[in-house]
Amino acid sequence: MAVYKDKKTNNWRAVIRYTNYKGERKQTQKRGFKTKKEAQEWERAAMLKQTSSLDMTFQDFFALYAEYARARVKEGTWETKEYIVRTKILPYFGKRKIGEISATDVHAWQNDLLELRKENGEKYSPDYLRSIHAQLSAIFNHAVNYYSLPHNPAQQAGTIGKEAVKEMLFWTKSEYLNFAEAIMDKPRAYYAFELLYWTGIREGELLALTPADFDLENRTLSITKTYHRSHGRDIITDPKTPKSRRVIRMPGFLCEEIQDYLGMLYEVKASDRIFSFSKQFLRHEMKRGCKASGVKVIRIHDLRHSHISLLINMGFSALAIGERVGHEAEKITYRYAHLFPTVQTEMVRKLEDEWQRKDEEAKE
């Protein structure tokens, strides 16, 4: 370890030498410090990172955590996590030593969060507060699991905000058909909404579709990727979960519509996105169609709920629906239990049958 002054620039430079996980001797340095104290502070923090010492600040530990987490989540997911930490956590805990933060400190931080206001003066939602706390807890968990922090103070403090019961909106088939008729004047919007409603795919899955994903002869659609946009870049990644990678069978009328749509596209290649517009375009068309048709306004994602509710009303099982939309059957049952009106009736009927059999069995 050493700190030097660069006579040419009059700035300070810090150099550290260490042994990496392969047993190799390494050296790293940083230039441009205005004062010797700044260079020494960087030198100390860098050495603490290399030795995995918890005698470092929360901010320095977050830099270590970021190296680990960034490589394990999608870019868009990491951007959301990093924004929460940078704006809601580091201003409070950044300069504290991570090993000295207690559950009492977390409680004080939670109290401050409860008093925060958005630009419009409203408080943050319980769901958002829970997300903020979850990010803090994830960082401490990393310290517990890999850096020998004795305990997670965020876990000890308990979460913040009550889990909100979200209203699940969806369209009936007649509502969707009224909406679809109202947007037929814009083919690319119409065909996009046809796929969303009749297949139940996610918005990101829709925007990642290419001609190669369709086998119109066998009436199938392969979901192998998802799309999002970040910092002006179009990003294609793996689907949301392993279960999301699936092959969906399409009704004949929808295959014919997609064939017509593909025929409208100019010199489209097999690997080209066929819906090369933004999510904002879909939201605009949703509002336009709702206004023109008079149906209630729902979110784009609610079209997925609409597809699932349609399949439930048609009598399909949670297992079959889960396979189609890329969910576990248990999740379908839990989230959409209220849409299975015949299940309880069927249960009661079978219980009555069992009760009546007892008399028959007794006679035998």
Side-chain angles (χ1 to χ4, degrees), residues 73-86:
V73 298
K74 293 180 180 178
E75 185 174 342
T77 302
W78 173 251
E79 288 174 359
T80 301
K81 291 177 178 291
E82 191 274 339
Y83 175 80
I84 288 176
V85 174
R86 178 167 50 82

Side-chain angles (χ1 to χ4, degrees), residues 195 209-216 220-222 250 258 262 274-275:
L195 277 168
L209 290 177
T210 66
D213 295 322
F214 294 90
D215 183 347
L216 298 178
T220 62
L221 168 60
S222 297
M250 299 168 57
I258 296 305
L262 293 176
I274 63 173
F275 297 111

Side-chain angles (χ1 to χ4, degrees), residues 18 69 71 73 79 102 160 164 170 176 178 206 216 220 231 233 279 304 320 334 364:
Y18 62 95
V73 298
E79 288 174 359
S102 67
I160 183 175
F170 58 91
Y176 172 71
N178 288 335
L206 171 84
L216 298 178
T220 62
H231 301 298
R233 295 182 297 123
K279 292 183 178 182
R304 184 168 165 84
Y334 174 74
E364 294 176 358

Side-chain angles (χ1 to χ4, degrees), residues 27 41 247 274 298:
Q27 175 177 299
E41 287 176 351
V247 176
I274 63 173
I298 62 175

Side-chain angles (χ1 to χ4, degrees), residues 235-290:
I235 299 174
I236 303 294
T237 62
D238 290 335
K240 184 176 181 181
T241 65
K243 184 78 173 180
S244 298
R245 188 180 290 270
R246 63 202 186 278
V247 176
I248 301 172
R249 293 203 167 273
M250 299 168 57
F253 74 86
L254 187 57
C255 290
E256 293 175 4
E257 289 185 334
I258 296 305
Q259 184 69 66
D260 291 342
Y261 177 64
L262 293 176
M264 298 177 185
L265 302 178
Y266 179 69
E267 294 185 351
V268 63
K269 298 176 183 177
S271 59
D272 290 342
R273 288 174 54 221
I274 63 173
F275 297 111
S276 57
F277 44 70
S278 66
K279 292 183 178 182
Q280 186 57 39
F281 171 81
L282 282 177
R283 284 158 180 68
H284 176 272
E285 288 303 293
M286 172 72 85
K287 292 179 181 178
R288 183 177 73 90
C290 289

Side-chain angles (χ1 to χ4, degrees), residues 2 42 49 61 101 163 170 175 236 283 302 320 331 358:
W42 179 87
K49 290 179 183 179
F61 184 80
I101 298 172
E163 186 172 9
F170 58 91
E175 285 178 313
I236 303 294
R283 284 158 180 68
D302 289 326
K331 189 170 184 179
K358 73 177 177 63

Side-chain angles (χ1 to χ4, degrees), residues 194-209:
E194 282 285 272
L195 277 168
L196 288 169
Y197 181 77
W198 294 109
T199 67
I201 60 177
R202 299 177 177 91
E203 185 178 16
E205 295 169 346
L206 171 84
L207 296 179
L209 290 177

Side-chain angles (χ1 to χ4, degrees), residues 16-33:
I16 67 167
R17 298 174 181 84
Y18 62 95
T19 303
N20 69 8
Y21 69 98
K22 295 181 179 179
E24 302 167 336
R25 291 292 294 168
K26 295 290 183 180
Q27 175 177 299
T28 187
Q29 63 178 310
K30 187 173 181 179
R31 303 171 183 268
F33 295 104

